Structure formats: C-alpha cells, structure tokens
Amino acid sequence: MTKKTALITGATGFIGGAIARRLSELGWGVHTLVRQSSNLDQVLGADTWTGAHVHDGTTESMLSILNEVRPDIIFHLASLFISEHSAGDVSKLIESNLLFATQLAEAATPAGVKGFINTGTAWQYYQGSTYCPVNLYAATKQAFEDILSWYHDARGLSCVTLKLFDTYGPGDRRRKLINILVDASKNGTVLNMSPGEQILDLCHIDDVVSAYVRAADMLLEQSEPMFQDYMISGERLRLRDLVALVERVAGRALLVDFGGRPYRAREVMQPWNDSTKSLPSWRPSIGLEQGVRQLLSI
C-alpha cells in the first residue's frame, strides 16, 4: 500500500504536534512547514516527522516546498491568535492568518494535493448560529475560509474546515483556563475570575486529533472535490461548574473569587451550536472528568 504523506503547518503547537505524532504512528510520512525561528525538537521526536521545510515568506518558496513534498493532505493549523488586538497587531494577523494561508492554498493544486484541512474557530459565531466574529482573529479565520472557497470552485481544491472550541490535554503549555485551575488546585493560588456563568466547550486533545484523522480519511475517500465545515465540540458546562468539577476530582477547594474581574468585552456566554455541522462518524470519547483526572495525575 502506498504510504500517505501529510504536510502540517503549526506542528510546533500543541494540536499540530499531537497530529504529527498520531499520523506518524499510523504510518504516514509527516512533513512540517516551519519558519526559520521554529524549534521542532521541543515538540516532536526525531522519529515523528519525515522532514521540516523552511518557508521564507514568499509564494515562490511555498510553491517550491509543496512541489517537493507533494502531500496527499495538508493539515493547516498555523495561525496567530490575539484575543483583543491593538493597532500594531493588524499586519501580523493579516500576514499570519491570510497571506501565509493563501500562499499555501495557491501552491496546493499544482502540487496535486488531494485535500486541505483548514482550522477555524467557534469564535466565528458570536452568540448565535450565523457568522459574527468575536474578534479580529475570528474575522481573519472567516476571511481565509472565504478565500478557500474560491480555490475549491476555481481550482477544484477539496477542503474541510474544522472549527474548534477550547482544547486541552497533557503536554499543553498554553495558559488555558483548565490548566490554570489544575495548577491552582496543586499550589493554592488565588484566582480572580468573572462571575462564571458563561458556558464552556472543552474537547480532549486525543478526540481533536481523531477528528483531523477522520477528516483526512473523508477527503481521501471522495471522488469529487468537497467543501465542508464542521464543529468539533466536546463537553459543555458553566465555568462555575468546571471549577466545581476540578475541586471534586482534586478533593480540595480552589481559592476562586467569582466576580473578582468583569467579563471580557464580547464574552461568549453561549457557544455556537449547529447540529448540522457535526463531523460524520466522529464523536468525542474522553469525558471531561476523565480528562481532569489525567491532568491532575501529571
């Protein structure tokens, strides 16, 4: 059987690195697309990836890399996330989330790529089921999804966008809420938090990775180009209830001051929900309590 080849952007990140490891375990040839400043050694073992390819920022460089690798599937996870941007962040957001991504799509079809898996965000849907970006970051994610639609229609590029909520799991060095709570349960840190009535959606990294693998299989199975987006939803609960869950599993109270700080501007109180956007033949398998126990045991 011919070995499948993947090109991953964002492999130095938590999710991208986990996808690279899983694909390697499944027998894929795993290539990564990196900047000159990237350090793969801190994320991936030497036996995980086939090659790291340095992109110099130009479209010509992207075309050359894709022509060399000729991947079956592109897993695009690289992006710049800024929750509340300042004027100085605008160029960086556009360059990272639109220019780089468009160069990748431009190089895909001449390289014979069979499928492009894009990464979106549930924050493209502020307080509802129709498009309304929470912030400029979410707006750039939608903008690239619109650009991808042109590459699908005009070039026949087969695309799936997976829209993520909150993700977590072992090895995550991001200062995400669940990591902050787990750390606080161990060291007794006092946490000033919002009133805590917002609903969170958390998905374990193993389930997130399985969603990307499932999307890749779908793209490889299709005889005609497809263009779909799906939400990768995990388990939902109020922030207050997440704190209570961590307390129960840890067996100790957390020092949390609910209302110690206000809600953020454009706080998402109710996550996007659209039953028509479920990824076929995928569902999360790791419950939040199991995931919290795993984190507390580390």
Side-chain angles (χ1 to χ4, degrees):
M1 183 170 57
T2 303
K3 189 173 187 177
K4 292 174 286 189
T5 302
L7 180 69
I8 304 176
T9 73
T12 57
F14 174 56
I15 302 174
I19 291 171
R21 290 188 290 273
R22 177 70 62 82
L23 292 176
S24 180
E25 291 168 358
L26 293 172
W28 286 61
V30 178
H31 295 255
T32 58
L33 187 61
V34 300
R35 299 182 179 89
Q36 290 179 329
S37 59
S38 298
N39 181 6
L40 282 173
D41 293 338
Q42 64 184 358
V43 180
L44 307 174
D47 59 348
T48 299
W49 46 278
T50 304
H53 305 267
V54 179
H55 177 235
D56 68 8
T58 66
T59 304
E60 291 74 19
S61 171
M62 189 71 79
L63 287 162
S64 176
I65 291 169
L66 268 289
N67 186 58
E68 176 187 350
V69 176
R70 304 192 74 80
D72 295 294
I73 302 291
I74 290 173
F75 295 80
H76 177 45
L77 292 103
S79 69
L80 175 62
F81 171 77
I82 299 175
S83 178
E84 296 183 26
H85 78 278
S86 63
D89 297 320
V90 172
S91 294
K92 292 182 291 184
L93 281 165
I94 298 300
E95 289 171 5
S96 294
N97 299 345
L98 285 177
L99 176 59
F100 173 82
T102 303
Q103 290 171 329
L104 187 62
E106 177 68 23
T109 48
V113 172
K114 296 182 176 68
F116 190 115
I117 302 178
N118 180 43
T119 304
T121 172
W123 277 14
Q124 290 167 238
Y125 304 90
Y126 177 56
Q127 315 292 52
S129 60
T130 58
Y131 169 63
C132 181
V134 171
N135 51 17
L136 185 58
Y137 161 76
T140 62
K141 300 300 275 186
Q142 181 67 43
F144 178 61
E145 197 172 335
D146 291 341
I147 288 170
L148 264 186
S149 70
W150 182 85
Y151 282 97
H152 167 69
D153 289 338
R155 301 270 182 90
L157 183 61
S158 199
C159 308
V160 166
T161 295
L162 301 183
K163 295 177 178 175
L164 306 183
F165 295 83
D166 280 331
T167 58
Y168 74 98
D172 187 2
R173 291 175 294 186
R174 300 171 298 173
R175 291 301 292 164
K176 303 288 283 187
L177 174 61
I178 194 167
N179 295 331
I180 292 170
L181 293 175
V182 167
D183 288 346
S185 76
K186 296 177 179 179
N187 57 34
T189 304
V190 178
L191 300 176
N192 292 319
M193 307 192 79
S194 70
E197 296 298 327
Q198 64 268 53
I199 305 297
L200 308 175
D201 185 307
L202 297 106
C203 194
H204 191 277
I205 184 61
D206 289 352
D207 288 325
V208 174
V209 170
S210 70
Y212 278 85
V213 173
R214 172 61 190 137
D217 289 341
M218 287 177 57
L219 287 165
L220 292 171
E221 291 164 0
Q222 296 295 317
S223 58
E224 296 294 331
M226 63 182 294
F227 189 85
Q228 295 289 339
D229 65 305
Y230 302 106
M231 67 177 196
I232 305 305
S233 177
E235 189 168 335
R236 297 190 172 191
L237 76 175
R238 296 185 310 162
L239 187 152
R240 281 181 174 269
D241 296 328
L242 176 61
V243 171
L245 173 60
V246 174
E247 289 178 326
R248 184 175 74 254
V249 174
R252 65 183 71 90
L254 275 66
L255 302 176
V256 175
D257 178 16
F258 287 110
R261 68 167 184 81
Y263 290 117
R264 292 175 297 187
R266 296 175 71 79
E267 185 83 46
V268 176
M269 301 301 295
Q270 182 68 44
W272 172 49
N273 190 24
D274 186 342
S275 60
T276 68
K277 295 296 184 180
S278 298
L279 178 65
S281 302
W282 175 89
R283 61 181 302 174
S285 62
I286 300 177
L288 189 53
E289 181 169 337
Q290 179 185 351
V292 170
R293 288 188 186 280
Q294 183 185 46
L295 294 177
L296 285 166
S297 68
I298 297 174

